[in-house]
């Protein structure tokens, strides 16, 4: 395999330049010309000297050679480096700064620019920190994404299809603002609707009046304000489109003559009113008319006829404003209500007056007030009489409350059905008490015995008198004991007793033993509890002298 | 194989008239942009009637990284194969320096790196 006889270029004897972007306007070569924002920077260290590609001429080129190492260190190792644009600023800046910072101060135009930007004029070139927005990437790179599905763009994003725009190359007029070339050409782009027009309309609808509450934003004395038609001319100027304002109500009252035609259609319920605020009001008024008339409507009509004459169906023109109907109706109703009453009566500046005071007071203005006071007093008297009379008729019977719960006995409530008089606490005894009773009985028997000595009898030599007798009567035991006592001194000599005596003797002995056994069993039974306790103690306390049975 | 002969004006530097062997290497991760730049360069050179060789497409270097998909060690051992493709084109020119400067003053697409090697004569 033969290599090429001669390479086109021998890299070791060639100068290599990389195309990098210029740093900033500091560099005098910078311009908006098509190639003005780039510069060739030498990136190799070969000893060959080639006329450099920089367009700064000799001086700038010479300076840049000094910095030739810098980009070399940065870029040479990266064969597949991305975007020389991004990495070039330092190198270009290094090259450019050397050229321009020769003077100790800054050039005049640079200083002016720094001042314009608002930085202090202290000799430091703040422009070095500024980054120009260029039309050729500026560190960013566009990568076409073949998988971008723009038709799946979400609804709240507007997508413009600008793929067919031909942006002309910036060649003819290098002083044009080339950054606007794209924008200028995309004017005719058909905007793809991202959302439905109706949805758009709803979203753009800034008139939130139909969703707003009606009684918001009312001043505290809106009622009083509404009732003073005279003082409303000042409020009229402050009309706004928002229907909740009291000013609107004021103006509404002013225009009652024109609004009289509307009154029939006004209803009390809010849902109606909210609906009726939409644009086509006239049609909606027609819709509301066939609603059945309530007695309140008739009352209302009567009142309006009284007050405003018969202008019911005459005027149907627009308000001239976006007035709320329920405010109007509210205002009207209030006006009706308050017209009947004298305004002064509503004032609470004088002291409170009881109906009786009103009756007695002869200089009360209106008869109506007096009548109402009299009526009130009469009614109070009626109620009082009724109350009193009711009490005389019936007796108050106190019925002991017996609920079902209390009838049922439960363990919490009752320990005994006997009261303490019958059931002395002393008589309720624990099981230990039974044994003490037995003990007491035996002791009493024993104490009752005349003999002060405690006699130990039987094989085990137990204090027979003090043992519990069990079922047998004490007399029998005494007897048995005594029989055995009687017979013992009568023991004859060995070989001298007869057969019957021997038999008797044997029988007596047997009996004695039998008794003893029984005694022992009874004792054991009696003291079993004690024995268990003793064993427990002995077990827990460890080795001791107590022999465990 | 036609060497263009330019009339030399007095006072002009000789170096700019000298025919140099210039190798332009274009590198990019993005083929489309790369091809675009390449085509423009060649078009520009042909307009100036320069002798041009190219574009030579150097084989694409693919840098692959295989990583486990899982951030922990649990699960089926699935692997991601990430790759980065680097495309390289080489264009050889015979021209003077001035011309080269003009040619390379075209708008360069973002992401394309341009390296110019000038032979020492």
């Amino acid at each position: 395999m033969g290599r090429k006889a001669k390479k086109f270029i021998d890299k070791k004897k060639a100068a290599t330049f990389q195309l990098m972007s210029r740093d900033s306007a500091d560099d005098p070569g910078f311009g908006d010309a098509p190639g003005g924002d780039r510069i060739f920077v030498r990136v190799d260290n070969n000893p060959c000297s080639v006329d450099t590609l920089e367009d700064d001429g000799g001086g700038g080129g010479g300076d840049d050679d000094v910095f030739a190492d810098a980009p070399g260190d940065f870029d040479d190792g990266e064969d597949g480096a991305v975007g020389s644009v991004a990495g070039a600023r330092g190198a270009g800046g290094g090259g450019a700064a050397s050229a321009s910072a020769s003077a100790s101060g800054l050039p005049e135009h640079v200083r002016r620019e720094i001042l314009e930007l608002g930085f202090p004029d202290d000799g430091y070139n703040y422009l070095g920190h500024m980054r120009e927005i260029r039309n050729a990437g500026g560190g960013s790179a566009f990568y076409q994404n073949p998988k971008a599905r723009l038709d799946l763009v979400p609804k709240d994003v507007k997508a413009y299809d600008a793929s067919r725009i031909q942006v002309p190359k910036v060649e003819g007029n290098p002083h044009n603002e080339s950054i606007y070339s794209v924008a200028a050409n995309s004017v005719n782009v058909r905007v793809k609707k991202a959302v439905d027009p109706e949805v758009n309309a709803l979203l753009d609808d800034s008139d939130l009046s139909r969703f707003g509450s009606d009684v918001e934003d009312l001043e505290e004395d809106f009622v009083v304000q509404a009732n003073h038609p005279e003082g409303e001319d000042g409020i009229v100027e402050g009309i706004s489109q928002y229907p909740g304002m009291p000013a609107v109500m004021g103006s509404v009252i002013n225009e009652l003559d024109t609004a009289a035609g509307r009154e029939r259609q006004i209803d009390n319920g809010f849902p109606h009113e909210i609906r009726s605020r939409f644009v086509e009001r006239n049609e909606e008024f027609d819709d509301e008319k066939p609603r059945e008339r309530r007695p309140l409507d008739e009352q209302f009509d009567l009142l309006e006829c009284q007050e405003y004459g018969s202008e019911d169906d005459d005027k149907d023109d627009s308000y001239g404003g976006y007035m709320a109907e329920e405010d109007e109706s509210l205002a009207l109703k209030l006006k009706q209500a308050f017209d009947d009453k004298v305004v002064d009566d509503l004032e609470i500046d004088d002291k409170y007056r009881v109906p009786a005071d009103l009756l007695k007071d002869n200089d009360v203005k209106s008869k109506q007030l007096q009548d109402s006071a009299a009526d009130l007093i009469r009614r109070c008297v009626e109620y009082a009489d009724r109350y009193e009379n009711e009490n005389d008729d019936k007796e108050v019977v106190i019925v002991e409350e017996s609920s079902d719960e209390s009838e049922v006995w439960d363990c919490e409530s009752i320990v005994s059905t006997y009261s303490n008089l019958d059931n002395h606490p002393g008589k309720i005894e624990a099981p230990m008490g039974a044994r003490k009773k037995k003990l007491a009985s035996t002791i009493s028997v024993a104490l009752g015995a005349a003999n002060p000595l405690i006699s130990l009898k039987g094989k085990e030599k137990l204090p027979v008198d003090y043992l519990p007798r069990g079922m047998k009567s004490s007399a029998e035991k005494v007897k048995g004991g005594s029989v055995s006592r009687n017979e013992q001194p009568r023991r004859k000599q060995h070989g001298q007793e007869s057969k019957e005596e021997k038999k008797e003797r044997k029988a007596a002995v047997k009996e004695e033993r039998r008794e003893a056994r029984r005694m022992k069993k009874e004792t054991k039974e009696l003291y079993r509890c004690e024995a268990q306790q003793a064993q427990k103690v002995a077990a827990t306390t460890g080795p001791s002298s107590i022999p465990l049975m | 194989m036609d060497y263009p002969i330019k009339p030399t004006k007095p006072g002009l530097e000789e170096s700019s008239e000298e025919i140099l062997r210039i190798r332009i290497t274009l590198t990019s991760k993005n083929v489309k942009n790369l091809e675009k730049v390449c085509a423009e360069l060649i078009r520009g050179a042909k307009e100036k009637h320069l002798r041009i060789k190219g574009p030579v497409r150097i084989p694409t270097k693919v840098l692959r990284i295989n990583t486990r998909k899982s951030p922990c060690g649990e699960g089926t051992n699935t692997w991601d194969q990430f790759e980065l493709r680097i495309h390289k084109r080489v264009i050889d020119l015979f021209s003077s320096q001035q011309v080269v400067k003009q040619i390379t003053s075209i708008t360069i697409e973002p992401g394309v790196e341009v390296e110019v090697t000038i032979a020492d004569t």
Side-chain angles (χ1 to χ4, degrees):
Chain A
M1 189 161 182
R3 215 181 285 172
K4 277 188 200 167
K6 186 193 172 199
K7 287 187 203 167
F8 181 75
I9 274 184
D10 185 8
K11 287 234 164 156
K12 295 205 171 74
K13 292 182 186 166
T16 305
F17 302 88
Q18 273 193 353
L19 193 66
M20 296 175 184
S21 61
R22 279 187 207 264
D23 179 36
S24 71
D26 269 354
D27 195 338
F30 184 84
D32 280 335
D37 61 339
R38 296 203 192 252
I39 194 170
F40 277 108
V41 177
R42 183 154 174 180
V43 295
D44 68 318
N45 292 334
N46 295 336
C48 68
S49 68
V50 180
D51 273 333
T52 56
L53 277 180
E54 290 88 1
D55 49 7
D56 283 345
D63 282 345
D64 281 320
D65 279 346
V66 174
F67 288 93
D69 290 345
D73 293 340
F74 191 78
D75 290 314
D76 246 359
E78 303 172 292
D79 218 8
V82 181
S84 59
V85 179
R89 199 161 298 113
S98 68
S100 64
S102 52
S104 59
L106 298 166
E108 196 57 45
H109 62 281
V110 174
R111 284 179 65 192
R112 208 180 310 124
E113 205 166 331
I114 290 172
L115 283 172
E116 272 175 33
L117 290 168
F119 294 116
D121 182 23
D122 54 4
Y124 182 70
N125 183 15
Y126 289 94
L127 298 182
H129 298 274
M130 307 287 288
R131 193 184 93 159
E132 303 249 354
I133 300 171
R134 280 182 282 247
N135 62 341
S140 66
F142 169 71
Y143 297 105
Q144 177 155 62
N145 184 3
K147 293 193 182 138
R149 294 282 311 277
L150 288 177
D151 55 349
L152 296 180
V153 162
K155 289 285 181 201
D156 54 353
V157 172
K158 279 194 183 168
Y160 297 82
D161 180 21
S163 56
R164 292 200 196 83
I165 290 190
Q166 299 280 347
V167 181
K169 288 208 175 73
V170 186
E171 277 178 356
N173 192 354
H175 296 298
N176 263 353
E177 290 289 285
S178 53
I179 56 173
Y180 300 124
S181 61
V182 175
N185 281 289
S186 59
V187 166
N188 301 327
V189 170
R190 183 179 55 84
V191 175
K192 187 165 78 175
K193 291 276 181 205
V195 277
D196 278 343
E198 292 111 23
V199 174
N200 241 346
L202 278 176
L203 287 174
D204 292 343
D205 185 13
S206 59
D207 175 23
L208 299 169
S209 58
R210 62 177 175 274
F211 302 117
S213 161
D214 305 320
V215 293
E216 282 174 354
D217 293 319
L218 294 173
E219 293 182 8
E220 287 176 12
D221 59 343
F222 69 95
V223 175
V224 181
Q225 274 184 14
N227 288 313
H228 286 268
E230 307 85 25
E232 273 157 0
D233 295 327
I235 302 169
V236 172
E237 286 104 39
I239 290 173
S240 71
Q241 290 285 324
Y242 194 76
M245 295 279 229
V248 171
M249 282 174 53
S251 64
V252 160
I253 290 168
N254 261 343
E255 295 174 329
L256 280 171
D257 286 343
T258 60
R262 293 271 140 78
E263 282 158 356
R264 173 154 303 161
Q265 292 93 25
I266 295 156
D267 43 301
N268 305 325
F270 276 123
H272 252 300
E273 284 147 358
I274 288 170
R275 236 192 311 122
S276 63
R277 260 198 267 189
F278 281 168
V279 180
E280 280 73 34
R281 322 180 88 237
N282 288 334
E283 287 107 65
E284 303 227 342
F285 292 141
D286 292 335
D287 287 342
E288 289 176 9
K289 270 184 190 170
R291 186 176 68 88
E292 64 265 15
R293 299 177 61 81
R294 299 179 285 184
L296 192 60
D297 289 349
E298 274 151 13
Q299 273 182 15
F300 198 78
D301 289 346
L302 279 173
L303 283 172
E304 102 196 12
C305 285
Q306 287 167 14
E307 296 288 331
Y308 305 108
S310 60
E311 285 178 306
D312 290 359
D313 295 304
D314 293 346
K315 299 189 183 178
D316 214 21
D317 48 349
S318 66
Y319 281 144
Y322 202 37
M323 305 303 176
E325 285 175 326
E326 73 282 2
D327 287 329
E328 181 196 326
S329 67
L330 186 64
L332 281 171
K333 277 180 250 168
L334 285 169
K335 198 170 180 357
Q336 316 301 336
F338 286 128
D339 276 346
D340 295 340
K341 305 218 185 305
V342 184
V343 178
D344 292 348
D345 290 346
L346 303 172
E347 287 166 10
I348 321 173
D349 35 30
D350 32 10
K351 67 174 176 70
Y352 180 69
R353 299 163 83 194
V354 187
D357 287 345
L358 287 173
L359 276 179
K360 287 180 197 158
D361 206 352
N362 288 332
D363 59 288
V364 166
K365 279 100 185 175
S366 83
K367 190 160 188 323
Q368 201 177 20
L369 207 60
Q370 271 188 339
D371 286 346
S372 68
D375 182 47
L376 192 62
I377 289 175
R378 184 180 49 76
R379 279 193 291 173
C380 284
V381 171
E382 258 182 45
Y383 289 143
D385 288 343
R386 221 183 294 165
Y387 180 74
E388 277 183 17
N389 293 339
E390 273 178 4
N391 270 0
D392 290 347
D393 291 341
K394 300 159 194 167
E395 274 183 9
V396 176
V397 174
I398 299 167
V399 176
E400 214 170 71
E401 182 195 278
S402 68
S403 64
D404 287 347
E405 267 184 85
S406 59
E407 292 296 329
V408 173
W409 293 347
D410 63 329
C411 59
E412 287 175 354
S413 61
I414 291 176
V415 173
S416 162
T417 51
Y418 295 115
S419 69
N420 271 357
L421 299 170
D422 302 329
N423 194 7
H424 194 266
K427 291 186 186 166
I428 304 171
E429 286 165 352
M432 285 288 283
R435 194 169 62 77
K436 279 182 188 159
K437 262 201 271 184
K438 273 190 186 172
L439 203 60
S441 62
T442 55
I443 284 171
S444 63
V445 165
L447 286 174
N451 198 356
L453 289 171
I454 298 169
S455 57
L456 299 171
K457 303 230 175 44
K459 196 175 163 200
E460 280 93 17
K461 305 290 178 204
L462 294 172
V464 175
D465 295 333
Y466 296 94
L467 290 173
R469 305 296 172 175
M471 288 302 177
K472 287 190 181 171
S473 63
S474 47
E476 275 182 13
K477 286 175 191 168
V478 169
K479 265 190 195 169
S482 63
V483 164
S484 63
R485 232 185 305 150
N486 290 334
E487 281 190 359
Q488 274 177 359
R490 286 184 195 168
R491 222 178 247 184
K492 286 185 180 171
Q493 306 288 335
H494 179 66
Q496 283 185 5
E497 53 182 7
S498 63
K499 270 190 177 177
E500 293 79 20
E501 282 172 2
K502 193 178 174 181
K503 250 187 200 172
E504 263 178 65
R505 191 169 47 87
K506 293 276 189 203
V509 166
K510 269 187 188 167
E511 193 65 39
E512 211 179 293
R513 284 189 187 139
R514 205 186 304 139
E515 276 302 316
R517 273 200 295 272
R518 203 177 53 74
M519 275 297 122
K520 182 181 174 180
K521 194 175 182 179
E522 231 177 278
T523 312
K524 195 175 176 182
E525 205 58 34
L526 193 64
Y527 289 99
R528 191 178 43 178
C529 187
E530 244 68 12
Q532 274 176 355
Q533 292 273 350
Q535 276 182 343
K536 209 188 288 181
V537 166
T540 52
T541 53
S544 68
S545 56
I546 300 170
L548 294 175
M549 286 161 48
Chain B
M1 283 276 239
D2 215 5
Y3 288 78
I5 302 166
K6 290 187 184 138
T8 51
K9 286 186 186 172
L12 212 60
E13 286 178 2
E14 277 191 14
S15 56
S16 62
E17 299 305 324
E18 196 182 314
I19 301 297
L20 297 167
R21 282 171 297 156
I22 294 163
R23 174 168 279 182
I24 303 175
T25 308
L26 303 164
T27 315
S28 174
K29 291 192 308 191
N30 190 341
V31 200
K32 245 187 163 180
N33 290 353
L34 185 63
E35 288 292 336
K36 209 188 281 188
V37 171
C38 223
E40 288 207 17
L41 265 180
I42 288 167
R43 194 176 50 80
K46 285 204 169 142
E47 273 172 14
K48 304 267 192 307
H49 305 286
L50 303 172
R51 187 168 152 222
I52 189 166
K53 289 187 185 173
V56 177
R57 292 182 178 84
I58 307 291
T60 310
K61 296 189 185 95
V62 184
L63 313 174
R64 288 186 218 268
I65 291 175
N66 287 306
T67 41
R68 276 289 300 279
K69 276 185 182 172
S70 162
C72 58
E74 197 268 341
T76 324
N77 294 340
T78 48
W79 291 80
D80 268 328
Q81 290 88 23
F82 295 109
E83 58 182 37
L84 186 78
R85 294 185 178 182
I86 294 170
H87 310 269
K88 198 163 161 187
R89 308 275 182 270
V90 175
I91 299 174
D92 287 338
L93 295 177
F94 294 88
S95 81
S96 65
Q97 246 181 37
Q98 287 279 351
V99 176
V100 170
K101 264 190 238 171
Q102 280 174 21
I103 290 170
T104 47
S105 70
I106 53 166
T107 318
I108 300 281
E109 298 287 327
V112 179
E113 192 190 314
V114 178
E115 199 179 278
V116 175
T117 305
I118 303 177
D120 190 17
T121 47

